PDB file of all heavy atoms in Angstrom:
ATOM      1  N   GLN B1203     -23.733  17.637  19.823  1.00 97.00           N
ATOM      2  CA  GLN B1203     -23.316  16.395  20.438  1.00 97.00           C
ATOM      3  C   GLN B1203     -21.959  16.562  21.089  1.00 97.00           C
ATOM      4  O   GLN B1203     -21.128  17.448  20.677  1.00 97.00           O
ATOM      5  CB  GLN B1203     -23.260  15.276  19.385  1.00 97.00           C
ATOM      6  CG  GLN B1203     -24.568  15.003  18.666  1.00 97.00           C
ATOM      7  CD  GLN B1203     -25.630  14.511  19.647  1.00 97.00           C
ATOM      8  OE1 GLN B1203     -25.401  13.619  20.405  1.00 97.00           O
ATOM      9  NE2 GLN B1203     -26.801  15.120  19.603  1.00 97.00           N
ATOM     10  N   PRO B1204     -21.625  15.768  22.143  1.00 97.00           N
ATOM     11  CA  PRO B1204     -20.323  15.851  22.774  1.00 97.00           C
ATOM     12  C   PRO B1204     -19.160  15.695  21.703  1.00 97.00           C
ATOM     13  O   PRO B1204     -18.132  16.286  21.854  1.00 97.00           O
ATOM     14  CB  PRO B1204     -20.296  14.753  23.753  1.00 97.00           C
ATOM     15  CG  PRO B1204     -21.723  14.628  24.140  1.00 97.00           C
ATOM     16  CD  PRO B1204     -22.519  14.904  22.867  1.00 97.00           C
ATOM     17  N   SER B1205     -19.406  14.917  20.686  1.00 97.00           N
ATOM     18  CA  SER B1205     -18.421  14.713  19.597  1.00 97.00           C
ATOM     19  C   SER B1205     -18.217  16.022  18.784  1.00 97.00           C
ATOM     20  O   SER B1205     -17.204  16.074  17.991  1.00 97.00           O
ATOM     21  CB  SER B1205     -18.884  13.627  18.673  1.00 97.00           C
ATOM     22  OG  SER B1205     -20.085  13.913  18.117  1.00 97.00           O
ATOM     23  N   ASP B1206     -19.034  16.996  18.966  1.00 98.00           N
ATOM     24  CA  ASP B1206     -18.845  18.309  18.248  1.00 98.00           C
ATOM     25  C   ASP B1206     -17.882  19.163  19.036  1.00 98.00           C
ATOM     26  O   ASP B1206     -17.446  20.218  18.479  1.00 98.00           O
ATOM     27  CB  ASP B1206     -20.149  19.042  18.144  1.00 98.00           C
ATOM     28  CG  ASP B1206     -21.169  18.369  17.244  1.00 98.00           C
ATOM     29  OD1 ASP B1206     -20.732  17.736  16.245  1.00 98.00           O
ATOM     30  OD2 ASP B1206     -22.362  18.475  17.497  1.00 98.00           O
ATOM     31  N   SER B1207     -17.450  18.778  20.163  1.00 97.00           N
ATOM     32  CA  SER B1207     -16.516  19.560  20.996  1.00 97.00           C
ATOM     33  C   SER B1207     -15.197  19.611  20.244  1.00 97.00           C
ATOM     34  O   SER B1207     -14.544  18.555  20.044  1.00 97.00           O
ATOM     35  CB  SER B1207     -16.318  18.951  22.332  1.00 97.00           C
ATOM     36  OG  SER B1207     -17.491  19.016  23.090  1.00 97.00           O
ATOM     37  N   ALA B1208     -14.733  20.792  19.867  1.00 97.00           N
ATOM     38  CA  ALA B1208     -13.637  21.035  19.003  1.00 97.00           C
ATOM     39  C   ALA B1208     -13.367  22.526  18.903  1.00 97.00           C
ATOM     40  O   ALA B1208     -14.143  23.302  19.392  1.00 97.00           O
ATOM     41  CB  ALA B1208     -13.795  20.355  17.616  1.00 97.00           C
ATOM     42  N   THR B1209     -12.333  22.855  18.181  1.00 96.00           N
ATOM     43  CA  THR B1209     -12.101  24.290  17.821  1.00 96.00           C
ATOM     44  C   THR B1209     -12.574  24.474  16.384  1.00 96.00           C
ATOM     45  O   THR B1209     -12.276  23.703  15.547  1.00 96.00           O
ATOM     46  CB  THR B1209     -10.691  24.681  17.961  1.00 96.00           C
ATOM     47  OG1 THR B1209     -10.264  24.555  19.351  1.00 96.00           O
ATOM     48  CG2 THR B1209     -10.414  26.118  17.547  1.00 96.00           C
ATOM     49  N   TYR B1210     -13.359  25.533  16.162  1.00 97.00           N
ATOM     50  CA  TYR B1210     -13.894  25.794  14.848  1.00 97.00           C
ATOM     51  C   TYR B1210     -13.252  26.976  14.265  1.00 97.00           C
ATOM     52  O   TYR B1210     -13.216  28.071  14.850  1.00 97.00           O
ATOM     53  CB  TYR B1210     -15.400  25.991  14.942  1.00 97.00           C
ATOM     54  CG  TYR B1210     -16.152  24.698  15.265  1.00 97.00           C
ATOM     55  CD1 TYR B1210     -16.153  24.194  16.525  1.00 97.00           C
ATOM     56  CD2 TYR B1210     -16.726  23.928  14.209  1.00 97.00           C
ATOM     57  CE1 TYR B1210     -16.734  22.948  16.819  1.00 97.00           C
ATOM     58  CE2 TYR B1210     -17.303  22.715  14.529  1.00 97.00           C
ATOM     59  CZ  TYR B1210     -17.311  22.234  15.801  1.00 97.00           C
ATOM     60  OH  TYR B1210     -17.913  21.024  16.070  1.00 97.00           O
ATOM     61  N   LEU B1211     -12.673  26.827  13.087  1.00 97.00           N
ATOM     62  CA  LEU B1211     -11.897  27.798  12.439  1.00 97.00           C
ATOM     63  C   LEU B1211     -12.643  28.374  11.245  1.00 97.00           C
ATOM     64  O   LEU B1211     -13.117  27.670  10.390  1.00 97.00           O
ATOM     65  CB  LEU B1211     -10.563  27.255  11.913  1.00 97.00           C
ATOM     66  CG  LEU B1211      -9.692  26.526  12.911  1.00 97.00           C
ATOM     67  CD1 LEU B1211      -8.557  25.814  12.222  1.00 97.00           C
ATOM     68  CD2 LEU B1211      -9.085  27.539  13.877  1.00 97.00           C
ATOM     69  N   CYS B1212     -12.783  29.707  11.237  1.00 96.00           N
ATOM     70  CA  CYS B1212     -13.376  30.409  10.109  1.00 96.00           C
ATOM     71  C   CYS B1212     -12.183  30.747   9.130  1.00 96.00           C
ATOM     72  O   CYS B1212     -11.138  31.174   9.573  1.00 96.00           O
ATOM     73  CB  CYS B1212     -14.088  31.646  10.625  1.00 96.00           C
ATOM     74  SG  CYS B1212     -14.744  32.782   9.397  1.00 96.00           S
ATOM     75  N   ALA B1213     -12.457  30.655   7.865  1.00 94.00           N
ATOM     76  CA  ALA B1213     -11.405  30.980   6.857  1.00 94.00           C
ATOM     77  C   ALA B1213     -12.026  31.686   5.640  1.00 94.00           C
ATOM     78  O   ALA B1213     -13.200  31.453   5.330  1.00 94.00           O
ATOM     79  CB  ALA B1213     -10.651  29.739   6.387  1.00 94.00           C
ATOM     80  N   LEU B1214     -11.261  32.509   5.031  1.00 92.00           N
ATOM     81  CA  LEU B1214     -11.716  33.118   3.773  1.00 92.00           C
ATOM     82  C   LEU B1214     -10.591  33.018   2.744  1.00 92.00           C
ATOM     83  O   LEU B1214      -9.404  32.940   3.046  1.00 92.00           O
ATOM     84  CB  LEU B1214     -12.161  34.551   3.991  1.00 92.00           C
ATOM     85  CG  LEU B1214     -11.149  35.608   4.430  1.00 92.00           C
ATOM     86  CD1 LEU B1214     -10.354  36.213   3.294  1.00 92.00           C
ATOM     87  CD2 LEU B1214     -11.891  36.737   5.169  1.00 92.00           C
ATOM     88  N   TYR B1215     -11.024  32.967   1.525  1.00 91.00           N
ATOM     89  CA  TYR B1215     -10.110  32.893   0.330  1.00 91.00           C
ATOM     90  C   TYR B1215     -10.189  34.199  -0.437  1.00 91.00           C
ATOM     91  O   TYR B1215     -11.275  34.727  -0.720  1.00 91.00           O
ATOM     92  CB  TYR B1215     -10.518  31.750  -0.552  1.00 91.00           C
ATOM     93  CG  TYR B1215      -9.785  31.738  -1.869  1.00 91.00           C
ATOM     94  CD1 TYR B1215      -8.468  31.285  -1.918  1.00 91.00           C
ATOM     95  CD2 TYR B1215     -10.396  32.227  -3.047  1.00 91.00           C
ATOM     96  CE1 TYR B1215      -7.805  31.325  -3.167  1.00 91.00           C
ATOM     97  CE2 TYR B1215      -9.726  32.175  -4.234  1.00 91.00           C
ATOM     98  CZ  TYR B1215      -8.445  31.674  -4.284  1.00 91.00           C
ATOM     99  OH  TYR B1215      -7.760  31.733  -5.481  1.00 91.00           O
ATOM    100  N   ASN B1216      -9.049  34.765  -0.683  1.00 86.00           N
ATOM    101  CA  ASN B1216      -9.007  36.158  -1.281  1.00 86.00           C
ATOM    102  C   ASN B1216      -7.718  36.208  -2.134  1.00 86.00           C
ATOM    103  O   ASN B1216      -6.643  36.121  -1.583  1.00 86.00           O
ATOM    104  CB  ASN B1216      -9.043  37.199  -0.236  1.00 86.00           C
ATOM    105  CG  ASN B1216      -9.361  38.526  -0.800  1.00 86.00           C
ATOM    106  OD1 ASN B1216      -9.707  38.709  -1.899  1.00 86.00           O
ATOM    107  ND2 ASN B1216      -9.248  39.580   0.044  1.00 86.00           N
ATOM    108  N   PHE B1217      -7.824  36.334  -3.435  1.00 85.00           N
ATOM    109  CA  PHE B1217      -6.710  36.495  -4.328  1.00 85.00           C
ATOM    110  C   PHE B1217      -5.601  35.465  -4.107  1.00 85.00           C
ATOM    111  O   PHE B1217      -4.480  35.775  -3.793  1.00 85.00           O
ATOM    112  CB  PHE B1217      -6.100  37.900  -4.143  1.00 85.00           C
ATOM    113  CG  PHE B1217      -7.075  38.985  -4.610  1.00 85.00           C
ATOM    114  CD1 PHE B1217      -7.431  39.976  -3.686  1.00 85.00           C
ATOM    115  CD2 PHE B1217      -7.504  39.056  -5.922  1.00 85.00           C
ATOM    116  CE1 PHE B1217      -8.308  40.974  -4.098  1.00 85.00           C
ATOM    117  CE2 PHE B1217      -8.371  40.051  -6.304  1.00 85.00           C
ATOM    118  CZ  PHE B1217      -8.802  41.004  -5.365  1.00 85.00           C
ATOM    119  N   ASN B1218      -5.993  34.209  -4.182  1.00 87.00           N
ATOM    120  CA  ASN B1218      -5.083  33.056  -4.080  1.00 87.00           C
ATOM    121  C   ASN B1218      -4.614  32.756  -2.719  1.00 87.00           C
ATOM    122  O   ASN B1218      -3.804  31.762  -2.490  1.00 87.00           O
ATOM    123  CB  ASN B1218      -3.843  33.214  -5.045  1.00 87.00           C
ATOM    124  CG  ASN B1218      -4.290  33.252  -6.478  1.00 87.00           C
ATOM    125  OD1 ASN B1218      -5.311  32.719  -6.893  1.00 87.00           O
ATOM    126  ND2 ASN B1218      -3.509  33.970  -7.267  1.00 87.00           N
ATOM    127  N   LYS B1219      -4.945  33.524  -1.717  1.00 90.00           N
ATOM    128  CA  LYS B1219      -4.464  33.324  -0.355  1.00 90.00           C
ATOM    129  C   LYS B1219      -5.634  32.993   0.578  1.00 90.00           C
ATOM    130  O   LYS B1219      -6.749  33.335   0.349  1.00 90.00           O
ATOM    131  CB  LYS B1219      -3.750  34.546   0.165  1.00 90.00           C
ATOM    132  CG  LYS B1219      -2.531  34.952  -0.586  1.00 90.00           C
ATOM    133  CD  LYS B1219      -1.885  36.188   0.046  1.00 90.00           C
ATOM    134  CE  LYS B1219      -0.676  36.615  -0.726  1.00 90.00           C
ATOM    135  NZ  LYS B1219      -0.014  37.782  -0.154  1.00 90.00           N
ATOM    136  N   PHE B1220      -5.296  32.266   1.615  1.00 91.00           N
ATOM    137  CA  PHE B1220      -6.262  31.921   2.652  1.00 91.00           C
ATOM    138  C   PHE B1220      -5.924  32.692   3.993  1.00 91.00           C
ATOM    139  O   PHE B1220      -4.723  32.789   4.308  1.00 91.00           O
ATOM    140  CB  PHE B1220      -6.220  30.398   2.944  1.00 91.00           C
ATOM    141  CG  PHE B1220      -7.034  29.604   1.998  1.00 91.00           C
ATOM    142  CD1 PHE B1220      -6.494  29.102   0.810  1.00 91.00           C
ATOM    143  CD2 PHE B1220      -8.439  29.353   2.194  1.00 91.00           C
ATOM    144  CE1 PHE B1220      -7.269  28.453  -0.096  1.00 91.00           C
ATOM    145  CE2 PHE B1220      -9.149  28.662   1.308  1.00 91.00           C
ATOM    146  CZ  PHE B1220      -8.581  28.186   0.095  1.00 91.00           C
ATOM    147  N   TYR B1221      -6.972  33.075   4.648  1.00 92.00           N
ATOM    148  CA  TYR B1221      -6.759  33.745   5.915  1.00 92.00           C
ATOM    149  C   TYR B1221      -7.730  33.024   6.911  1.00 92.00           C
ATOM    150  O   TYR B1221      -8.869  32.856   6.708  1.00 92.00           O
ATOM    151  CB  TYR B1221      -7.198  35.218   5.801  1.00 92.00           C
ATOM    152  CG  TYR B1221      -6.342  35.998   4.848  1.00 92.00           C
ATOM    153  CD1 TYR B1221      -6.728  36.071   3.546  1.00 92.00           C
ATOM    154  CD2 TYR B1221      -5.181  36.553   5.276  1.00 92.00           C
ATOM    155  CE1 TYR B1221      -5.952  36.822   2.547  1.00 92.00           C
ATOM    156  CE2 TYR B1221      -4.351  37.253   4.314  1.00 92.00           C
ATOM    157  CZ  TYR B1221      -4.741  37.403   2.996  1.00 92.00           C
ATOM    158  OH  TYR B1221      -4.029  38.031   2.075  1.00 92.00           O
ATOM    159  N   PHE B1222      -7.151  32.672   8.028  1.00 94.00           N
ATOM    160  CA  PHE B1222      -7.923  31.920   9.059  1.00 94.00           C
ATOM    161  C   PHE B1222      -8.066  32.756  10.288  1.00 94.00           C
ATOM    162  O   PHE B1222      -7.162  33.537  10.646  1.00 94.00           O
ATOM    163  CB  PHE B1222      -7.160  30.609   9.460  1.00 94.00           C
ATOM    164  CG  PHE B1222      -7.319  29.506   8.499  1.00 94.00           C
ATOM    165  CD1 PHE B1222      -6.570  29.465   7.326  1.00 94.00           C
ATOM    166  CD2 PHE B1222      -8.140  28.468   8.769  1.00 94.00           C
ATOM    167  CE1 PHE B1222      -6.691  28.391   6.426  1.00 94.00           C
ATOM    168  CE2 PHE B1222      -8.285  27.371   7.872  1.00 94.00           C
ATOM    169  CZ  PHE B1222      -7.577  27.374   6.711  1.00 94.00           C
TER     170      PHE B1222
END
Side-chain angles (χ1 to χ4, degrees):
Chain B
Q1203 301 297 308
S1205 59
D1206 294 325
S1207 297
T1209 297
Y1210 290 79
L1211 305 170
C1212 173
L1214 64 84
Y1215 170 77
N1216 194 10
F1217 295 120
N1218 297 332
K1219 295 182 183 180
F1220 278 89
Y1221 300 90
F1222 281 79

